[in-house]
């Protein structure tokens, strides 16, 4: 066993002895990162094409984030929501401006995507209507409320009974959604692109139809932008690709640039349904996390990363398609939220092969690889990965692909 394998084995043993078994045991112990790369305990460097599951929007140790966090923690680290502070106020105002809702919106800050979706769930309850319609395959978190919204029965089953009133319809099926929504429906809850289901992009016009169906029945349209928001798809918010505005937007992941920060944005009447004392969180709107988020937003804007992300995502899709590899069924996504769907359940093997070559990717499904790299990924490194992907897939498939 090499020294690298020994170090990783030791870390795996310590993990099993100290961490609850809610995750698989990690194969690699990471100790540092810079830009789009991370380094393990033995000095091996990897191109990080997962970005902490779409979290590291500016990569690792970005100077804008580290400076903002260092300056803020040296001034004011935490105050609770009994007091206001400039980073939280400025971030809320900025998010409302980026979402295009201005004075018509209000923001609730929390710590994660699950918490943002819990807040959205409670907003829906405050309409006084009992029903919520979500989508099969959708993923909205693992707390009990967000899990009830999640359209994946295998994740729900061990924790039933869950909060009631939630039904699920096929994602992308306008007729099914229209049939399920009526005067008793409080809200429709959707992801603009289903991330954990395998980066599933809905048919053209689906979200616009969802907006129309919600309006016709007096229901809220809640869009979970936890994975798609803050530039991930080449827009500040994925809903902006479709020319609509939802009633509630939930955010997390890339918002904090690596720090735990979530947000629930209410628009119009949804901004005022939760009253004083009806919802709260101790750490929501933490000054340090808000300072990091402001640095993320400023950098995306100043460096033109929205345009870069939109262009690079299309280039990666086209390059993978040009491989014409027999293991590949489809390449899909938007911006830098991408999936390579395979013809067989070889995604876990492909992840191991990629890791051995210095790439970190994710088997979001047994037959699907997910890419959610930092938004600063450059074209050369993307090309290097696509070049090596052919060999990765051939090895995972047993050496039968084209090289």
């Amino acid at each position: 066993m090499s020294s690298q394998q020994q170090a990783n084995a030791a870390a795996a043993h310590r993990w099993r002895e100290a961490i609850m078994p809610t995750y698989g045991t990690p194969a690699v112990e990471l100790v540092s990162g810079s830009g789009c790369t991370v380094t393990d305990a033995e000095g091996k460097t990897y191109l990080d094409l997962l970005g902490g599951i779409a979290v590291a929007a500016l990569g690792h140790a970005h100077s804008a984030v580290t400076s903002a966090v260092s300056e803020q923690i040296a001034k004011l680290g935490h105050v609770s929501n009994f007091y206001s502070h400039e980073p939280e106020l400025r971030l809320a105002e900025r998010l409302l401006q980026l979402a295009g809702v201005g004075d018509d919106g209000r923001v609730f800050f929390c710590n994660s995507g699950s918490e943002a979706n819990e807040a959205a769930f409670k907003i829906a309850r405050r309409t006084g209507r009992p029903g919520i319609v979500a989508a099969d395959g959708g993923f909205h978190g693992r707390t009990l409320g967000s899990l009830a919204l999640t359209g994946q029965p295998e994740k729900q089953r061990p924790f039933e009974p869950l909060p009631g009133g939630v039904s699920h319809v096929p994602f992308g099926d306008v007729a099914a959604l229209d049939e399920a929504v009526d005067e008793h429906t409080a809200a429709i809850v959707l992801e603009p692109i289903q991330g954990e289901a395998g980066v599933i992009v809905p048919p053209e016009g689906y979200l616009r139809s969802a907006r129309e169906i919600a309006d016709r029945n007096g229901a809220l349209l809640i869009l979970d932008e936890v994975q798609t928001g803050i530039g991930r798809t080449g827009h500040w918010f994925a809903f902006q690709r479709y020319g609509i505005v939802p009633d509630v937007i939930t955010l997390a992941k890339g918002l904090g640039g690596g720090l735990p920060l979530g947000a629930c944005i209410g628009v119009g009447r949804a901004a005022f349904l939760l009253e004083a004392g009806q919802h709260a969180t101790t750490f929501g709107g933490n000054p340090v996390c808000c300072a990091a988020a402001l640095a993320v937003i400023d950098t995306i804007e100043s460096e033109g990363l929205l345009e870069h992300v939109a262009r690079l995502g299309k280039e990666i899709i086209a390059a993978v398609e040009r491989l014409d590899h027999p293991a590949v069924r489809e390449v899909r996504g938007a911006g830098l939220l991408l999936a390579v769907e395979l013809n067989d359940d070889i995604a876990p093997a492909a992840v191991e092969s990629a890791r051995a070559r210095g790439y970190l990717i994710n088997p979001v499904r047994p037959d699907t690889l997910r890419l959610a790299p930092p938004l600063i990924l450059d074209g050369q490194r993307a090309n290097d990965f696509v070049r090596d992907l052919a060999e990765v897939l051939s090895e995972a498939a047993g050496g039968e692909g084209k090289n």
Side-chain angles (χ1 to χ4, degrees), residues 36 43 73 82 136 258 281:
C36 293
I73 194 67
F82 288 131
D136 293 335
T281 173

Side-chain angles (χ1 to χ4, degrees), residues 212-244:
E212 293 167 2
I213 292 167
D215 288 342
R216 190 163 60 249
N217 291 278
L220 302 177
L221 176 62
I222 299 174
L223 292 187
D224 178 343
E225 294 254 14
V226 169
Q227 195 157 155
T228 56
I230 312 301
R232 175 59 52 184
T233 69
H235 295 77
W236 285 112
F237 304 92
F239 72 78
Q240 292 170 329
R241 302 173 62 208
Y242 305 103
I244 63 168

Side-chain angles (χ1 to χ4, degrees), residues 294-312:
L294 287 165
V296 168
I297 291 170
D298 287 345
T299 303
I300 291 173
E301 192 168 62
S302 65
E303 296 188 2
L305 291 181
L306 295 183
E307 296 80 4
H308 168 75
V309 165
R311 181 177 62 254
L312 185 58

Side-chain angles (χ1 to χ4, degrees), residues 39-80:
T39 303
D40 71 13
E42 283 300 305
K44 181 177 174 62
T45 298
Y46 307 85
L47 181 62
D48 182 4
L49 295 172
L50 183 58
I53 315 180
V55 167
L58 301 183
H60 304 276
H62 193 285
S63 59
V65 175
T66 57
S67 294
V69 167
S70 298
E71 291 173 10
Q72 184 60 49
I73 194 67
K75 292 191 297 186
L76 190 66
H78 178 72
V79 298
S80 86

Side-chain angles (χ1 to χ4, degrees), residues 267-290:
V267 182
R269 67 182 176 114
F272 301 97
L273 286 172
L274 289 177
E275 300 173 0
Q278 292 184 339
H279 200 55
T281 173
T282 298
F283 291 101
N286 172 271
V288 179
C289 295
C290 289

Side-chain angles (χ1 to χ4, degrees), residues 65-322:
V65 175
T66 57
S67 294
V69 167
S70 298
E71 291 173 10
Q72 184 60 49
I73 194 67
K75 292 191 297 186
L76 190 66
H78 178 72
V79 298
S80 86
N81 286 292
F82 288 131
Y83 313 97
S84 67
H85 55 84
E86 181 62 18
E88 181 178 31
L89 295 172
R90 191 149 51 94
L91 179 59
E93 291 165 350
R94 196 74 184 280
L95 288 174
L96 295 175
Q97 177 254 324
L98 294 176
V101 300
D103 293 341
D104 203 29
R106 296 293 186 274
V107 182
F108 173 81
F109 286 115
C110 51
N111 311 289
S112 69
S114 290
E115 287 184 70
N117 287 326
E118 289 284 346
F121 199 140
K122 291 175 77 171
I123 288 171
R125 283 282 196 255
R126 288 287 294 142
T127 65
R129 293 183 174 191
I132 295 177
V133 178
D136 293 335
F139 182 82
H140 303 285
R142 296 177 186 268
T143 52
L144 287 180
S146 61
L147 187 60
L149 298 175
T150 293
Q152 300 182 28
E154 69 279 4
K155 290 183 173 66
Q156 296 176 323
R157 202 166 291 118
F159 305 102
E160 293 174 337
L162 297 172
V166 182
S167 60
H168 294 86
V169 296
F171 184 62
D173 187 331
V174 172
L177 184 63
D178 195 14
E179 184 176 357
V181 177
D182 59 23
E183 70 275 13
H184 303 294
T185 303
I188 300 168
V189 182
L190 300 169
E191 297 166 90
I193 297 174
Q194 289 191 333
E196 299 301 311
V199 190
I200 307 300
V201 181
E204 182 64 32
Y206 178 67
L207 290 182
R208 287 193 295 273
S209 295
R211 175 73 277 175
E212 293 167 2
I213 292 167
D215 288 342
R216 190 163 60 249
N217 291 278
L220 302 177
L221 176 62
I222 299 174
L223 292 187
D224 178 343
E225 294 254 14
V226 169
Q227 195 157 155
T228 56
I230 312 301
R232 175 59 52 184
T233 69
H235 295 77
W236 285 112
F237 304 92
F239 72 78
Q240 292 170 329
R241 302 173 62 208
Y242 305 103
I244 63 168
V245 178
D247 301 293
V248 179
I249 309 156
T250 59
L251 298 169
K253 289 192 181 291
L255 177 61
L259 276 72
L261 180 63
C264 179
I265 303 174
V267 182
R269 67 182 176 114
F272 301 97
L273 286 172
L274 289 177
E275 300 173 0
Q278 292 184 339
H279 200 55
T281 173
T282 298
F283 291 101
N286 172 271
V288 179
C289 295
C290 289
L294 287 165
V296 168
I297 291 170
D298 287 345
T299 303
I300 291 173
E301 192 168 62
S302 65
E303 296 188 2
L305 291 181
L306 295 183
E307 296 80 4
H308 168 75
V309 165
R311 181 177 62 254
L312 185 58
K314 292 176 183 176
E315 291 174 358
I316 292 173
I317 289 175
V320 175
E321 290 175 341
R322 283 196 301 272

